[in-house]
């Protein structure tokens, strides 16, 4: 951006035409803060993040390459043992399946939310937002109440005569996948809803006037215009699912170890912090790699500060 | 016909979304001596158990204190940083923004074990200061996103007019900027409060024997049994969260109205 184009042209002519070097536009004129004040305002937060966020992460990553001896031995061990590779692959497929399910179940809800007005709109919004405002810990507990051997679903099914023996539904991949999909669905519904809301209603009207039926209107107008919301929601869900800890730890068993639960197991049960650090390095590389690669799609403001 | 099918499908999905959270409520009011569904009768016994249990009460109070202080700190440093990001002049703004939002993307377990290693030698495990520092790092992105959005909607010409009329920068901030963006700051502080109170993974690792976060207490209890006292605690926490989020929603609606130019 050139200084000239931003500069005030008080006489109605571009400053350049006077032949005099244009003065650097003062930031004050655009309501900007001076540089020194800017630094002063942001410094406390940067200092806090450096101490309580970035330093701890660098520390665990440093441990992964320096202990027990400098080198990549922790990473070599992680990548060479099928047991650990299985955990990484399971995490990837559970996260992928969770994203697909959340999209499949969330898209219709977003469509309904965007087209409903009045009292029902409040009910739908409550169904989407109340789970979002409930901690994953509380919701994991709720899923245990539902799926336990003596839990709600087994009770209802035996009362209805559907089963004679309680079924074990907890501690398997299915329980973890279902509960995680439930936890992450609001994160795909909200961005899609926001994208659908910004579609001008005239577009649908125009399609109808041109003879498109409801199906064609969906495929050629609604769906393509909602894709920014779909990509933002799916990315967010996939990245969050990769690092999910509470739900797999409480609802999963030894056979459903995911990357985050493996990290915790190595650190707290086996006290192998450097190896936990190496697994953390891989998880961090996956999450940040995806977030940075698709930065353009990942619109965090759309979810957190959705208007 | 297809519309009816679509609606039925949506209702089923909405039930899937809301039912697990709602089921906690009847369980918490159970009159039974252990978890049973449907409850054999209604009573307040599990709420009384919760309030009479020092472990639960201490952990809840400790977490509440952490959440209040985190909300305060995150709002102040987050709003200051938002001012710098939206109104300031500095190089590398895009990179800074990405760094400030990183806590939303980094998996909490990675931070948790890093913080444990970092804090243990400093004696910050199980300390209020340790909790507040990490929770502020995790909560600040919410404040920055909400307050930046409000500042972006606020035309700088208002502040410039104040400066032109001879007001100092501090006076301009106090009399022009602050009255227009405080609802956004209030909403941000509610988000920060809940981010701290509900935070489970880092809290699990940095809880001490004496000072235990309520999420760690709950996590351990769930692993041990599914007693309805956990449902009573959950119901209280969910009700409080809903009330707070409605407050934040009202504040943000007010913020949009004020800053809409």
């Amino acid at each position: 951006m050139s200084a000239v184009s931003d500069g005030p042209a008080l006489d109605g002519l571009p400053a350049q035409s006077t032949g005099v070097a244009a003065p650097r536009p003062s930031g004050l004129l655009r309501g900007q803060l001076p540089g020194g004040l800017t630094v002063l305002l942001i410094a406390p937060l940067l200092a806090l993040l450096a101490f309580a966020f970035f330093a701890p992460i660098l520390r665990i990553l440093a441990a992964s390459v320096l202990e027990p001896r400098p080198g990549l031995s922790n990473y070599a061990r992680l990548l060479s043992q099928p047991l650990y590779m299985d955990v990484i692959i399971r995490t990837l497929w559970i996260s992928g399946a969770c994203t697909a399910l959340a999209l499949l179940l969330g898209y219709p809800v977003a469509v309904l939310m965007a087209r409903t007005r009045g009292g029902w709109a409040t009910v739908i919004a409550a169904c989407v937002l109340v789970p979002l405002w409930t901690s994953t810990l509380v919701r994991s507990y709720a899923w245990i109440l539902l799926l336990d051997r003596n839990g709600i679903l087994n009770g209802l099914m035996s009362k209805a005569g559907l089963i004679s023996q309680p079924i074990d539904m907890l501690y398997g991949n299915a329980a973890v996948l279902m509960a995680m999909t439930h936890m992450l669905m609001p994160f795909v519904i909200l961005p899609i809803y926001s994208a659908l809301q910004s579609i001008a209603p005239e577009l649908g009207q125009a399609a109808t006037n041109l003879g498109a039926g409801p199906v064609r209107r969906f495929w050629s107008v609604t769906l393509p215009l909602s894709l920014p919301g779909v990509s933002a929601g799916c990315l967010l869900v996939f990245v969050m699912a990769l690092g999910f800890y509470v739900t797999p730890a409480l609802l999963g068993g030894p056979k459903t170890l995911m990357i985050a639960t493996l990290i915790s197991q190595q650190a707290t049960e086996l006290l192998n912090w450097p190896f936990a650090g190496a697994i953390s390095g891989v998880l961090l590389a996956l999450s940040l790699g995806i977030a940075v690669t698709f930065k353009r799609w990942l619109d965090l403001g759309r979810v957190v500060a959705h208007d | 016909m297809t519309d009816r099918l679509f609606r039925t499908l949506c209702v089923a999905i909405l039930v899937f979304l809301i039912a697990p959270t709602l089921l906690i409520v009847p369980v918490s009011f159970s009159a039974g001596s252990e978890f049973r569904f449907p409850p054999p009768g209604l009573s307040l016994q599990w709420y009384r158990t919760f309030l009479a249990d020092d472990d639960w009460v201490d952990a809840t109070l400790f977490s509440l204190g952490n959440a209040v202080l985190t909300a305060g700190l995150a709002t102040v440093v987050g709003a200051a940083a938002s001012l710098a990001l939206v109104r300031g002049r500095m190089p590398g703004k895009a990179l800074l923004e990405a760094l400030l939002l990183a806590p939303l993307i980094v998996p909490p377990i990675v931070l948790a074990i890093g913080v444990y290693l970092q804090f243990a030698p400093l004696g910050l495990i199980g300390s209020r200061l340790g909790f507040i520092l990490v929770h502020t790092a995790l909560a600040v992105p919410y404040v920055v996103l909400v307050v930046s959005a409000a500042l972006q909607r606020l035309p700088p010409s208002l502040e410039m007019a104040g400066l032109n009329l001879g007001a100092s920068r501090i006076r301009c901030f106090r009399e022009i900027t602050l009255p227009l963006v405080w609802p956004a700051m209030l909403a941000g502080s509610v988000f920060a409060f809940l981010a701290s109170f509900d935070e489970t993974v880092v809290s699990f690792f940095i809880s001490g024997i004496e000072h235990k976060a309520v999420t760690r207490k709950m996590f351990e209890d769930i692993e041990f049994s599914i007693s309805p006292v956990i449902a009573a605690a959950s119901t209280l926490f969910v009700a409080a969260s809903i009330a707070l989020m409605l407050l934040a929603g009202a504040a943000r609606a007010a913020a949009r109205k004020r800053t809409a130019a």
Side-chain angles (χ1 to χ4, degrees):
Chain A
M1 185 172 304
S2 78
V4 173
S5 65
D6 277 11
L10 295 175
D11 54 2
L13 291 168
Q16 216 171 9
S17 66
T18 59
V20 183
R24 233 186 121 69
S26 157
L28 273 181
L29 284 171
R30 280 175 290 153
Q32 281 190 334
L33 299 171
L37 187 59
T38 307
V39 172
L40 209 63
L41 281 171
I42 205 165
L45 178 54
L46 288 180
L48 186 135
L49 285 178
F51 175 75
F53 185 78
F54 291 108
I57 291 170
L58 290 178
R59 188 170 183 123
I60 189 72
L61 293 180
S64 77
V65 289
L66 295 175
E67 296 166 33
R69 61 196 161 278
L72 293 174
S73 60
N74 289 313
Y75 289 89
R77 180 174 162 219
L78 176 61
L79 298 178
S80 65
Q81 298 225 7
L83 178 70
Y84 301 132
M85 285 312 285
D86 282 352
V87 172
I88 295 177
I89 290 165
R90 180 182 307 116
T91 307
L92 287 171
W93 85 250
I94 288 189
S95 303
C98 183
T99 310
L101 277 174
L103 176 63
L104 205 66
L105 297 176
Y107 199 99
V109 173
V111 170
L112 185 73
M113 218 172 147
R115 74 152 85 128
T116 309
R117 297 277 171 278
W120 285 110
T122 315
V123 174
I124 299 169
C127 288
V128 177
L129 294 175
V130 168
L132 187 66
W133 302 338
T134 306
S135 75
T136 48
L137 187 59
V138 168
R139 284 188 285 163
S140 299
Y141 170 71
W143 276 100
I144 295 175
L145 293 182
L146 271 169
L147 301 179
D148 192 76
R149 269 184 79 83
N150 305 312
I152 296 170
L153 282 181
N154 269 319
L156 291 178
M157 285 194 292
S158 73
K159 204 166 261 178
L162 291 172
I163 49 169
S164 52
Q165 288 279 315
I167 328 173
D168 284 311
M169 288 180 277
L170 276 177
Y171 314 120
N173 285 328
V176 173
L177 181 58
M178 191 153 66
M180 279 177 62
T181 303
H182 171 251
M183 315 253 171
L184 292 169
M185 259 173 73
F187 294 102
V188 63
I189 295 175
L190 291 174
I192 296 175
Y193 166 73
S194 143
L196 289 172
Q197 282 257 300
S198 58
I199 300 177
E202 293 82 12
L203 288 176
Q205 197 57 53
T208 311
N209 290 347
L210 291 170
V215 176
R216 175 110 194 256
R217 203 167 63 209
F218 175 77
W219 282 107
S220 17
V221 178
T222 314
L223 186 65
L225 288 172
S226 68
L227 284 181
V230 171
S231 50
C234 287
L235 266 172
L236 197 62
V237 167
F238 188 73
V239 170
M240 289 174 80
L242 284 179
F244 237 56
Y245 174 76
V246 174
T247 308
L250 289 174
L251 271 73
K255 284 188 193 145
T256 55
L257 217 51
M258 286 178 66
I259 297 182
T261 35
L262 179 66
I263 293 174
S264 152
Q265 196 186 58
Q266 290 292 328
T268 58
E269 285 168 34
L270 304 168
L271 301 178
N272 193 343
W273 294 84
F275 189 55
I279 315 167
S280 299
V282 171
L283 176 56
L284 204 56
L286 281 172
S287 317
L288 290 185
I290 293 167
V292 170
T293 311
F294 300 103
K295 181 172 91 239
R296 206 180 289 269
W297 293 357
L298 192 69
D299 191 352
L300 291 171
R302 228 190 243 277
V303 180
V304 177
H306 63 99
D307 281 322
Chain B
M1 175 60 206
T2 47
D3 197 54
R4 199 130 160 231
L5 196 70
F6 172 75
R7 270 164 209 279
T8 316
L9 180 77
C10 282
V11 168
I13 300 169
L14 289 171
V15 168
F16 169 73
L17 263 173
I18 196 74
T21 316
L22 289 186
L23 281 172
I24 298 169
V25 182
V27 172
S28 76
F29 287 108
S30 167
S33 59
E34 55 175 17
F35 166 66
R36 251 170 70 198
F37 196 88
L42 297 178
S43 86
L44 288 172
Q45 58 164 333
W46 297 108
Y47 290 88
R48 279 195 290 271
T49 309
F50 172 78
L51 290 172
D53 185 335
D54 282 346
D55 281 354
W56 272 111
V57 173
D58 289 350
T60 305
L61 291 178
F62 183 63
S63 283
L64 273 178
N66 292 341
V68 168
L69 293 167
T70 296
L73 184 60
T75 307
V76 173
V77 296
S82 307
L83 263 179
L85 283 174
V86 176
R87 294 279 193 264
R89 222 174 353 158
M90 61 187 153
K93 248 189 201 180
L95 178 69
L96 264 179
E97 260 173 32
L99 287 181
L100 296 192
L101 297 182
L104 290 178
I105 296 294
V106 167
I109 186 74
V110 175
L111 181 65
I113 59 170
V115 164
Y116 184 85
L117 284 185
Q118 166 103 340
F119 280 12
L122 300 172
L124 285 173
I125 300 294
S127 80
R128 195 176 282 292
L129 180 64
F131 271 97
I132 295 167
L133 290 175
V134 186
H135 280 179
T136 301
L138 289 172
V140 99
Y142 298 103
V143 177
V144 170
L145 284 172
V146 176
V147 176
S148 300
L151 282 171
Q152 251 145 16
R153 282 191 302 262
L154 184 71
S157 53
L158 295 177
E159 290 154 18
M160 283 158 64
L163 286 176
N164 282 345
L165 292 170
S168 67
R169 270 198 190 280
I170 292 179
R171 186 154 173 224
C172 268
F173 175 75
R174 224 180 43 219
E175 294 189 18
I176 299 172
T177 318
L178 194 59
L180 290 169
V181 299
W182 76 259
M185 288 170 65
L186 179 68
S189 71
V190 169
F191 293 160
F193 177 92
L194 288 176
S196 166
F197 192 81
D198 288 342
E199 202 285 320
T200 309
V201 185
V202 180
S203 299
F204 190 90
F205 277 75
I206 63 170
S207 280
I209 296 162
E210 258 184 60
H211 292 301
K212 200 183 266 186
V214 73
T215 43
R216 163 135 190 186
K217 163 79 181 146
M218 191 181 272
F219 194 103
E220 287 172 348
D221 277 29
I222 294 173
E223 280 191 314
F224 178 66
S225 81
I226 51 175
S227 160
V229 70
I230 305 170
S234 300
T235 305
L236 290 175
F237 300 160
V238 172
S241 306
I242 293 173
L244 280 172
M245 288 304 285
L246 291 178
L247 173 76
R252 296 197 59 215
R256 272 195 293 281
K257 228 172 172 177
R258 274 161 196 253
T259 52

